[in-house]
């Protein structure tokens, strides 16, 4: 089995920074795309940023220029550096990854349990 474990969430004032981490563990053969999504109360889960195994990135318009996604393939870990945080960034942030595990020949999609990010005004 594969597990994604997020860390780094918390409470921060507007304009501040946080760095989220997500480590994948288990019988991992390879990981394709990794990403971060978020869900605010009463809203649908939305894409924040994704990064391919080759390092190509894509961001939601609302976070471009403020957030940076990166990954360490040797550690099976993806990061999200969040700067200039705004109250509207408040949400539960979820890690997501396409993982080929064990002897499987396919990539399956996995989610982390989520980490709360709260930005006070």
């Amino acid at each position: 089995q594969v597990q994604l474990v997020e860390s780094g969430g918390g409470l921060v004032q507007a304009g501040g920074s946080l760095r989220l981490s997500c480590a994948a563990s288990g019988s991992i053969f390879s990981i394709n795309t990794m990403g971060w999504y978020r869900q605010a109360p009463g809203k649908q889960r939305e894409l924040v940023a994704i990064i391919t195994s080759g390092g190509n990135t894509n961001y939601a318009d609302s976070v471009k220029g403020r957030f940076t996604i990166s990954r360490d393939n040797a550690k099976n870990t993806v990061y999200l550096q969040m700067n200039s945080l705004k109250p509207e960034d408040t949400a539960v942030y979820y890690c997501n990854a396409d993982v080929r595990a064990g002897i499987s020949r396919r990539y399956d999609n996995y989610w982390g349990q989520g980490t709360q990010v709260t930005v006070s005004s």
Side-chain angles (χ1 to χ4, degrees), residues 4 33 37 96-99 107-111:
L4 303 181
T33 300
Y37 292 73
N96 181 268
D98 292 324
V99 181
Y107 285 88
D108 291 315
N109 191 256
Y110 293 88
W111 290 93

Side-chain angles (χ1 to χ4, degrees), residues 5-117:
V5 179
E6 300 108 333
S7 61
L11 172 64
V12 65
Q13 287 187 332
S17 299
L18 283 174
R19 187 190 194 213
L20 305 183
S21 300
C22 171
S25 63
S27 301
I28 296 171
F29 181 82
S30 66
I31 302 178
N32 196 356
T33 300
M34 303 184 82
W36 291 94
Y37 292 73
R38 67 186 181 186
Q39 188 167 18
K43 295 187 177 181
Q44 289 189 332
R45 191 173 297 188
E46 63 176 3
L47 170 72
V48 177
I50 56 172
I51 182 168
T52 68
S53 57
N56 293 317
T57 60
N58 191 29
Y59 296 89
D61 288 342
S62 59
V63 307
K64 282 181 181 177
R66 301 187 298 120
F67 291 10
T68 302
I69 189 171
S70 61
R71 63 190 284 173
D72 184 332
N73 291 328
K75 295 181 179 180
N76 292 330
T77 299
V78 63
Y79 307 95
L80 186 68
Q81 178 66 44
M82 305 184 293
N83 298 327
S84 301
L85 282 160
K86 304 175 181 180
E88 51 263 43
D89 295 317
T90 295
V92 177
Y93 283 69
Y94 296 91
C95 175
N96 181 268
D98 292 324
V99 181
R100 184 178 166 187
I103 61 172
S104 175
R105 292 178 177 268
R106 70 183 190 193
Y107 285 88
D108 291 315
N109 191 256
Y110 293 88
W111 290 93
Q113 81 286 354
T115 184
Q116 177 71 45
V117 171

